[in-house]
Amino acid sequence: MLTMNYTYRIYPDVTQQTELLEWLETCRGVYNYALRELKDWIASRKCPVDRCSLEKEYIILADKPVPSYHRQQNNLPKAKKLIPRLGEVHSQVLQTTIRRLHDTWEAFQKRGLGFPRFKKFGQFKSFVFPQFKNNPINGLTIKLPKIGEVPINLHRPIPDGFQVKQVRVLSKVRGTQWYVVVTIESDVSVPDAPVHGRAIGIDLGLERFLTAADGSFQERPKFFRSMQRKLKLLQRKAAKKKKRSKNWEKAQVAVARMHHRIANRRKDFHLKTAHKLCDQAQTIFAEDLNGKGLTRGMLRKDCVDAAFGQFLSLTEWVCWKRGVYFAKVNPNGTSQTCPSCLATVSKGLEIREHQCPECGYRTHRDHAAAEMVLHRGLENVVAQGLWGKETACQVGLSGVYDLDKWRGAGISKSDLGKPAP
């Protein structure tokens, strides 16, 4: 079973936009009420058996069951009789809102962190239509239940053999831009791409966004840094407006549009770079970076601007779509190890050139790290037994002959010659 998501821009009219915003606020209220019930039930079970707090205590009967997803979902028809506004929203949209809360709660129980939070005004930005009997997309419009037909920019058609399973309506730029995330499904099964063709390793950095093992590199565009001055002026204008006034809302929309533009430019660069890598090689190895740790260091603003985590996720998706093998390797010590003789060469972050005292190999620091990523990726491929398969893809994988000589024949890596710059 193959499932994919396609994102399209939609253009609802003024009446439809007002209705969509009201739906979002209704879903936000249902989400917060269900979360309040869950938190009250949990708080009532924290009291010790032999004593209670003198200040306050949640008292809920001991025989009252936990407010699970099915119980809260079954209470929706009763709530609609008390609150007629709930009946204006599609019933399955409210059900998926409660499902969203309990998915977050179950994820919290597994991780041990990330307790569900109450949604403030404007923080609830999407809702889901979970199923459709017929294809809702008809040429230039998409038919949403209780909303009607909405113009859509169908920049790419739904592939043959796929059916629309669900549609998520998404609000961006403070409710001024609307999108739909269409989930399509087919019975076909796509096998994972095997190890084949030319292999490269890539190293990500701030001086150079990407450096490949073959010596090519890609400069890092500074998306946020280049627009920071304009963004600062817009934020300064917004801060001077009276809060919740019309001029304040217009200023906030201008700030949101600037952030949206920066994010779009960054994502476009990531996708184009990923496709460029797939044009150059059929097997790609990358570092398994700790994205959360990079955002806590001294260079956190530049790391967030580069968005290495998003780039790796998009590259993995592009590789799967184009039949390119993609794998991540351990990033520890890739810049501190000589790719020629595997000797440890310690160097600080300010040293941008790799020069090995053992074998004399000299190259750019990021290039040496990319070569080390390639070596580790090929080692993992051999260790997992993927390289021993009798496939046509096995012939011509760059670097494997040298790796086999180094690993199997007992020849030192330095005797194989310096890697090509």
Side-chain angles (χ1 to χ4, degrees), residues 195-299:
V195 183
H196 66 287
R198 179 172 180 262
I200 62 171
I202 58 175
D203 175 74
L204 303 178
L206 296 179
E207 182 185 11
R208 297 175 176 177
F209 178 78
L210 182 145
T211 305
D214 58 2
S216 61
F217 61 91
Q218 177 70 51
E219 296 292 342
R220 179 176 69 91
K222 300 180 180 180
F223 306 99
F224 181 79
R225 291 284 192 181
S226 61
M227 306 295 291
Q228 189 173 7
R229 180 175 176 83
K230 294 182 180 180
L231 184 62
K232 184 178 180 180
L233 292 176
L234 292 176
Q235 290 174 334
R236 186 178 298 172
K237 291 180 181 179
K240 294 179 180 180
K241 306 298 181 183
K242 184 179 178 180
K243 196 171 183 180
R244 301 299 177 187
S245 65
K246 290 186 177 180
N247 289 333
W248 177 86
E249 184 62 31
K250 292 179 182 178
Q252 294 295 331
V253 170
V255 173
R257 284 179 178 174
M258 182 62 68
H259 280 293
H260 188 61
R261 181 185 177 188
I262 294 172
N264 284 344
R265 291 176 58 192
R266 182 186 296 115
K267 187 174 182 180
D268 180 70
F269 169 76
H270 287 169
L271 285 172
K272 289 180 179 178
T273 305
H275 280 283
K276 185 178 179 180
L277 288 175
C278 292
D279 292 336
Q280 297 175 355
Q282 293 74 43
T283 299
I284 300 176
F285 300 106
E287 294 177 306
D288 189 9
L289 297 176
N290 179 14
K292 185 178 293 186
L294 292 175
T295 59
R296 296 175 180 175
M298 182 177 59
L299 302 173

Side-chain angles (χ1 to χ4, degrees), residues 316-337:
E316 186 175 3
W317 154 252
V318 172
C319 289
W320 175 85
K321 183 175 63 173
R322 298 189 55 176
V324 176
Y325 180 83
F326 178 82
K328 296 181 181 179
V329 302
N330 184 11
N332 296 333
T334 53
S335 61
Q336 308 293 328
T337 306

Side-chain angles (χ1 to χ4, degrees), residues 374-395:
L374 175 60
H375 294 162
R376 289 185 180 181
L378 295 176
E379 281 186 339
N380 294 339
V381 166
V382 175
Q384 294 172 7
L386 301 177
W387 186 245
K389 296 181 179 179
E390 293 291 337
T391 61
C393 303
Q394 179 177 352
V395 180

